[in-house]
Amino acid sequence: MTESSPLLREPATTDTVTSTRGATVTRFAQTRRGRVASGAARARRGVRSVVAALSRARDWVRETVSPAGLLLVAIVVGGVAAGAAFGWFEAWVVAAMSASLLLVCVPFLLGAHDYRVRLDLDRDRVVAGSEIGGTLDLVNRGSRPSMPSVVDIPVGQGLVEAHIPLLRGGAHHEERLVIAAQRRGVIDVGPMTVSRGDPLRVLRREMRWPEVQRVHVHPVTVPLPPSSAGLIRDLEGAPSSALVDADLSFHAVREYVPGDSQRHVHWKSTARTGRLMVRQYEESRHARIAVLLDLDLDGYTDDDEFEVAVSAAASLGVQGVREGRDVLVGVSSELDTADRGAVQAMRSLPTVTPRSLLDGVSTLRGGSAAGAGARVIRLESVATLVAQSFGDLSIAFLVTGSLVPLQRLRRAAITLPPGITVVAVRCEPEAEPTARHSRELTVLTVGRLDDLPKLLARGAVR
């Protein structure tokens, strides 16, 4: 009988049956390793452990030590090295002073903190030029006192700081905040960070709350005269081919079916045929008001002029929605980098309610329509896409800046469906409000936003 060598044993196999009616089979290909292989494995595990420890230490230093603290550490190392190498007493003194300063800052980091932070904003929608009030409530949920700290609240591109004093266990601190919303847009408030550290900001500890609150800053709008969109001739709508049981346009009579309203019974036909007959109507569809806003910044002298145009377009759209009209607010859709110069796209903003429309207007951003890297398309292209995709227009407003030539406005008016009223609203700061009429369109020059309702009240739109 021959004994097998320890290094040539049959591989061991273990079967582990799981609770999911399956089996896990593990096969060890070798039961003993040589010294070289074992040493190499231990070395790899050691290297991985060292790398992980260094990564954790780097992250801790990055989160805890500020640039000023790193400078103090460098001074300590440099002072010790200079003192040991050259025997400079001054270098030892500087190193000792820097090390003492670091040690003084360490106690400010000791102890854990357990905070509950809540930020309540009084509004999530405001008008440009106003302010947003908020209340920051911080509670120390621990049983021990917490050191003074700072709450950093990102507000858009800015930062708001709230200083929290020393709090006993269970105590809370409340602070009022005011956030300025000077310009139209969307402001993200958060995520908040509570940082605690020494007065010199050498060392710090942070806690982060990922919650982000969004605030829509609506453009300034002005009320317009009722029915100022020139749609009095369209109040009854236009008949369509769809048949309904109740509307304004009479179509024919048909035999009564259970569920029909007795108000629509046609008695003459009933008497003639001997069967109960009811009226049938053609569905009336009301025409749309189209408000097309030019997002090409090359047509505006500055950002203020662009904001006046945005406010004018929002005022026209909101007035139409409040009057129950079918409103289309169309703008250029921002183009993808790969599609610029080859694709034309527009999008319509939601007009279910005035608030949804103003929320959509808050997100608009201008761009350039010139060159191969164009981000938006011109107003003429938007008008072409509207004419191809949206029918039953009654009136169209083209809102643009003062640098757009009249020839381009005429081209945009010609591309729209024939027979509708086209009004171009040119925003030109400090200009006299005027109205000029031509065969293709009516051009309203608006120097200020308040000029728009005055021109419409005078009957500038025919």
Side-chain angles (χ1 to χ4, degrees):
M1 185 173 183
T2 305
E3 295 184 356
S4 60
S5 173
L7 294 179
L8 300 175
R9 294 176 184 171
E10 286 295 324
T13 303
T14 61
D15 295 346
T16 303
V17 180
T18 65
S19 60
T20 57
R21 297 189 303 174
T24 302
V25 180
T26 305
R27 180 183 178 93
F28 298 95
Q30 188 175 357
T31 58
R32 179 180 296 182
R33 293 178 177 175
R35 294 182 178 180
V36 176
S38 300
R42 286 195 296 270
R44 287 194 297 269
R45 288 195 296 269
V47 170
R48 285 196 295 267
S49 301
V50 171
V51 171
L54 291 177
S55 178
R56 290 193 297 269
R58 181 198 61 193
D59 295 338
W60 182 87
V61 170
R62 184 181 299 172
E63 296 175 358
T64 306
V65 184
S66 67
L70 295 177
L71 178 61
L72 290 176
V73 172
I75 292 176
V76 171
V77 175
V80 171
F86 305 104
W88 292 346
F89 178 75
E90 294 82 357
W92 288 106
V93 172
V94 172
M97 293 176 60
S98 300
S100 301
L101 186 57
L102 286 172
L103 292 176
V104 169
C105 296
V106 169
F108 289 92
L109 301 183
L110 300 179
H113 53 272
D114 187 9
Y115 290 141
R116 178 181 62 82
V117 180
R118 185 178 65 189
L119 176 62
D120 294 326
L121 301 179
D122 56 4
R123 291 175 293 175
D124 59 357
R125 289 170 174 84
V126 295
V127 180
S130 57
E131 295 180 340
I132 308 165
T135 302
L136 177 66
D137 186 40
L138 188 142
V139 179
N140 179 15
R141 297 191 297 187
S143 59
R144 298 178 180 178
S146 62
M147 300 298 292
S149 57
V150 178
V151 180
D152 296 327
I153 308 174
V155 179
Q157 301 297 325
L159 185 69
V160 175
E161 290 187 350
H163 295 270
I164 309 301
L166 185 145
L167 296 178
R168 302 189 307 273
H172 77 97
H173 175 77
E174 184 177 288
E175 187 162 337
R176 289 287 299 172
L177 303 175
V178 177
I179 300 174
Q182 297 300 322
R183 298 188 69 85
R184 173 190 60 85
V186 178
I187 300 177
D188 289 332
V189 182
M192 294 182 293
T193 302
V194 178
S195 60
R196 189 184 67 180
D198 58 272
L200 300 179
R201 301 287 184 95
V202 175
L203 303 177
R204 65 181 184 272
R205 294 181 65 182
E206 293 184 350
M207 289 182 62
R208 182 179 292 267
W209 281 262
E211 180 184 4
V212 176
Q213 302 185 50
R214 175 158 291 185
V215 178
H216 287 83
V217 183
H218 292 168
V220 178
T221 57
V222 292
L224 303 179
S227 299
S228 61
L231 289 181
I232 298 177
R233 59 183 171 85
D234 189 50
L235 289 178
E236 295 184 354
S240 67
S241 59
L243 301 180
V244 294
D245 294 332
D247 213 306
L248 295 175
S249 300
F250 175 74
H251 175 66
V253 293
R254 62 172 174 79
E255 190 172 352
Y256 174 86
V257 295
D260 288 339
S261 175
Q262 294 183 1
R263 295 182 305 168
H264 299 144
V265 174
H266 195 267
W267 295 109
K268 291 183 179 181
S269 300
T270 299
R272 186 171 59 252
T273 61
R275 297 188 305 272
L276 198 60
M277 307 295 289
V278 294
R279 297 180 181 89
Q280 197 171 31
Y281 301 86
E282 289 181 339
E283 182 183 13
S284 298
R285 295 178 181 174
H286 291 277
R288 283 191 176 99
I289 305 172
V291 181
L292 309 184
L293 174 62
D294 189 4
L295 296 185
D296 183 12
L297 295 180
D298 297 334
Y300 301 90
T301 57
D302 51 27
D303 291 339
D304 293 336
E305 183 175 303
F306 176 68
E307 291 301 323
V308 173
V310 173
S311 296
S315 300
L316 291 167
V318 167
Q319 181 65 30
V321 173
R322 287 174 177 169
E323 291 183 356
R325 309 295 186 190
D326 189 2
V327 181
L328 165 68
V329 179
V331 296
S332 170
S333 178
E334 188 167 349
L335 302 178
D336 187 78
T337 305
D339 296 332
R340 293 173 183 175
V343 175
Q344 293 183 347
M346 59 86 60
R347 65 187 178 103
S348 59
L349 303 183
T351 57
V352 179
T353 63
R355 188 172 78 167
S356 63
L357 172 57
L358 292 175
D359 285 349
V361 174
S362 300
T363 63
L364 294 180
R365 295 184 301 173
S368 176
R375 288 178 48 192
V376 298
I377 60 175
R378 288 185 170 181
L379 187 62
E380 305 95 304
S381 300
V382 175
T384 301
L385 294 176
V386 168
Q388 295 173 353
S389 305
F390 300 93
D392 298 331
L393 291 179
S394 177
I395 186 170
F397 289 93
L398 310 178
V399 186
T400 184
S402 59
L403 300 182
V404 177
L406 292 177
Q407 292 80 0
R408 288 181 51 193
L409 295 178
R410 290 193 179 98
R411 286 199 299 268
I414 294 173
T415 60
L416 292 169
I420 71 170
T421 302
V422 182
V423 181
V425 180
R426 297 184 66 194
C427 299
E428 185 176 352
E430 306 304 327
E432 289 294 329
T434 58
R436 289 185 291 177
H437 303 278
S438 65
R439 184 178 59 183
E440 295 88 2
L441 76 166
T442 298
V443 180
L444 304 182
T445 301
V446 176
R448 297 185 306 172
L449 184 61
D450 296 336
D451 295 335
L452 183 59
K454 297 176 183 177
L455 291 172
L456 296 177
R458 295 174 190 170
V461 178
R462 298 176 181 177

